[in-house]
Amino acid sequence: MLIASPLRPYTGADEVALQGATLGALLDDLEARFPGTRFRIIDEQGRIRKHMRFFLNGEPIFDLGQAVKPTDEVAMVQALSGG
Amino acid sequence: MAAKGSKLRKSAKKAPKKVTSRASKPKKQLVLVATRKGAWLYHGDAARKTWRADGPHFLGHIIHHLVLDPRDGKTLLAAASTGHLGPTIFRSTDMGKSWKEAKQPPAFQPAPEGQKARSVHHTFWLTPAHGNEPNVWYAGTSPQGLFRSEDGGVTWNEFSGLNHDPQYRAWMGGDQEGTPDGPNMHSVIVDPRDPQHLYFGMSSGGVHETRDGGAHWAPLVDGMEVVEGFDAKNLTFHDPHCVRMCPSNPDRLYQQNHCGIYRLDRPAKTWKRIGKAMPKKIGDVGFGIVVHPRDDARAWVLPMDGQTVWPRTSVEGKPAVYETKDGGKNWTRQDKGMPRGQAWWTVKRQAFTGDNSNPVGLYFGTTSGELWSSSSEGRSWDLIARHLPEIYAVETASI
């Protein structure tokens, strides 16, 4: 997964290989390896925070239940507005 | 020469007194500045004349509040978020040299059936708890919720049933019902005589009190006015901006409200609008209020323009602090050292504070990034820093 730059202080890398069959499972794996990351991306009600975006092989995805395959590339980016 | 030598020897005999004097020398002042783009620590000398900037910490992060625990003098908590990431709390025990993130930041539990689930957007307010409860902290959030940590800010949980109480949920408002930039729970106050006795303010939603450690809460809004045309009996219309308890008399509270300046002397339950004694052309609208640490008759406000479209800037572009020395019967303008005009400052509710020194030091930060101080209880003002990002909060500590 391509890691959004604000989260690189957690991961220490701009890309991380994660395991899981869904986007949500990938983020669970991210949290297990880099504690604290998930809550900064997903709120306590399981919603993707409004300034975070995910892309699966270049296409936007919005559902944590989205299935992913081992060869898929997932990108997490920030979507800021204003100054 | 002989006479001088004699004097020196005489002084030497008094050395123990000097040692005592050194041991009790005044502590240095620390001013903690939280901004929209990071945090700064300003280290002052004992005279509070020169300041050393330490920062930015968390450049680019939104820091809503930065507070040093007065009980241990070393635990520093920063309520943080960014434009994209969710909210969190950072902790330092070495005065900001290193920071660790909370393992469990404030977060709402799933909502009971029939209520809309809420997510913490940011932690707005941090309060160290009673002196007999080391490591306990309270946090007020936006959307409005009350949280408590019992381990120095490492893990946070919802406090009491308040956040899901149907009546309080109605008063707190939801994401769309509150003020557009987010309703804020603030002014979490702990009675120094009783850790079970707490107050908090909701902007909007009124002032509330518990005397049994959060088992029961009750509104405390009698006497508070609301915007013209609205029903003061409806708590959602009450907008306290900042509530302060007098350290020298915990039965006395002062409040800067959207609709005036108030005082409450417990056990009375009706606030008195002391802001009516302010000059008419200045009015009594503002955000923050500071109380004197040793004199419950003294308080300071920083009036904002509340006319027509509510600019909430310095009235007529001429900033000033107003002081009362008699509990709000009279107010005196204090603006020496401040710009004489064309200064359209806004000072937010957490960005006006005082220290415990004698004379009391006062500090405020503007949304235009200026940090001002007075080491003379407001008689004259000096600029500590300018060109900072928008200042959200200013706190002090003696170290």
Side-chain angles (χ1 to χ4, degrees):
Chain A
M1 177 183 287
L2 176 69
I3 303 298
S5 64
L7 288 167
R8 289 178 193 166
Y10 290 85
T11 61
D14 55 3
E15 284 192 359
V16 177
L18 298 171
Q19 293 189 335
T22 63
L23 174 60
L26 294 182
L27 295 177
D28 288 343
D29 190 30
L30 184 70
E31 170 66 20
R33 297 176 55 186
F34 306 104
T37 50
R38 193 178 192 283
F39 185 65
R40 307 212 74 187
I41 306 164
I42 308 297
D43 74 20
E44 59 265 57
Q45 308 304 339
R47 298 178 289 231
I48 299 171
R49 296 192 185 277
K50 69 177 183 178
H51 291 289
M52 301 305 292
R53 295 285 186 274
F54 290 93
F55 293 84
L56 175 63
N57 301 321
E59 295 297 321
I61 55 174
F62 304 95
D63 183 1
L64 294 177
Q66 171 73 49
V68 294
K69 299 191 294 290
T71 54
D72 283 339
E73 289 188 0
V74 178
M76 170 175 43
V77 297
Q78 63 194 48
L80 271 183
S81 54
Chain B
M1 290 297 290
K4 279 185 182 174
S6 174
K7 278 185 182 176
L8 283 172
R9 283 194 295 276
K10 199 172 179 180
S11 294
K13 286 178 185 174
K14 291 181 179 177
K17 277 191 177 178
K18 282 196 172 183
V19 169
T20 305
S21 174
R22 278 193 206 102
S24 61
K25 71 178 182 181
K27 291 183 174 181
K28 291 184 177 177
Q29 200 61 46
L30 184 65
V31 179
L32 309 162
V33 183
T35 83
R36 187 165 171 259
K37 301 287 185 177
W40 278 259
L41 282 63
Y42 283 87
H43 294 263
D45 59 14
R48 297 167 293 174
K49 293 295 182 192
T50 60
W51 300 88
R52 175 176 61 83
D54 171 14
H57 296 259
F58 309 110
L59 180 62
H61 294 240
I62 304 165
I63 308 298
H64 298 274
H65 209 185
L66 180 64
V67 179
L68 182 72
D69 190 339
R71 297 164 299 184
D72 66 9
K74 68 175 186 178
T75 301
L76 196 55
L77 294 194
S81 60
T82 73
H84 24 66
L85 302 178
T88 193
I89 304 283
F90 289 106
R91 305 174 69 250
S92 175
T93 55
D94 56 10
M95 215 51 76
K97 291 186 179 70
S98 62
W99 296 89
K100 282 188 177 177
E101 187 173 356
K103 287 183 179 172
Q104 183 179 304
F108 290 112
Q109 291 295 310
E113 197 171 331
Q115 280 186 15
K116 186 181 174 189
R118 298 188 298 162
S119 304
V120 172
H121 182 268
H122 62 268
T123 295
F124 182 74
W125 190 279
L126 294 164
T127 293
H130 193 275
N132 290 344
E133 295 181 319
N135 296 318
V136 175
W137 287 71
Y138 293 100
T141 61
S142 177
Q144 300 191 98
L146 185 58
F147 295 83
R148 176 176 157 114
S149 171
E150 297 183 352
D151 55 11
V154 179
T155 60
W156 295 83
N157 290 290
E158 291 184 295
F159 178 59
S160 81
L162 190 77
N163 297 350
H164 301 283
D165 178 88
Q167 179 60 81
Y168 270 88
R169 281 286 284 108
W171 289 334
M172 287 171 176
D175 296 344
Q176 299 300 317
E177 301 140 47
T179 46
D181 284 344
N184 290 309
M185 180 174 287
H186 60 85
S187 304
V188 183
I189 297 170
V190 181
D191 189 332
R193 303 163 300 188
D194 178 5
Q196 304 290 301
H197 185 205
L198 309 172
Y199 298 93
F200 65 79
M202 293 201 294
S203 184
S204 55
V207 178
H208 299 264
E209 174 188 35
T210 179
R211 289 186 174 274
D212 55 15
H216 302 87
W217 295 89
L220 201 58
V221 299
D222 289 354
M224 288 164 50
E225 297 178 27
V226 299
V227 173
E228 190 177 356
F230 289 86
D231 182 4
K233 290 176 186 165
N234 184 340
L235 266 64
T236 59
F237 298 137
H238 281 279
D239 192 359
H241 283 172
C242 185
V243 183
R244 301 287 187 192
M245 173 185 278
C246 293
S248 60
N249 173 14
D251 282 331
R252 172 164 284 189
L253 303 174
Y254 286 90
Q255 178 195 154
Q256 175 66 70
N257 188 293
H258 187 75
C259 298
I261 306 165
Y262 296 84
R263 196 190 78 219
L264 176 62
D265 292 310
R266 309 305 310 277
K269 293 185 175 180
T270 302
W271 294 88
K272 181 181 180 184
R273 188 168 180 176
I274 56 175
K276 287 187 174 176
M278 285 282 287
K280 285 275 186 298
K281 71 170 187 175
I282 300 298
D284 64 345
V285 170
F287 291 110
I289 188 165
V290 177
V291 295
H292 193 288
R294 293 172 295 276
D295 183 348
D296 68 356
R298 296 180 68 181
W300 293 267
V301 294
L302 223 164
M304 299 278 112
D305 190 338
Q307 299 181 75
T308 56
V309 295
W310 292 76
R312 292 158 292 166
T313 54
S314 308
V315 179
E316 296 181 331
K318 299 173 182 173
V321 162
Y322 278 77
E323 181 193 19
T324 180
K325 291 184 175 180
D326 53 14
K329 292 187 184 74
N330 296 280
W331 296 89
T332 304
R333 186 178 179 93
Q334 296 178 319
D335 61 3
K336 186 179 176 185
M338 294 185 193
R340 311 314 297 172
Q342 290 297 336
W344 307 97
W345 293 349
T346 299
V347 177
K348 294 193 165 183
R349 76 191 74 199
Q350 290 165 296
F352 185 28
T353 192
D355 64 27
N356 293 324
S357 299
N358 189 11
V360 175
L362 300 173
Y363 308 84
F364 66 83
T366 70
T367 56
S368 48
E370 293 187 0
L371 179 64
W372 285 81
S373 76
S374 169
S375 57
S376 57
E377 304 190 338
R379 285 188 292 278
S380 66
W381 292 86
D382 295 297
L383 188 63
I384 294 180
R386 57 181 175 173
H387 310 312
L388 293 172
E390 178 178 359
I391 294 175
Y392 280 0
V394 179
E395 294 287 349
T396 64
S398 296
I399 56 174

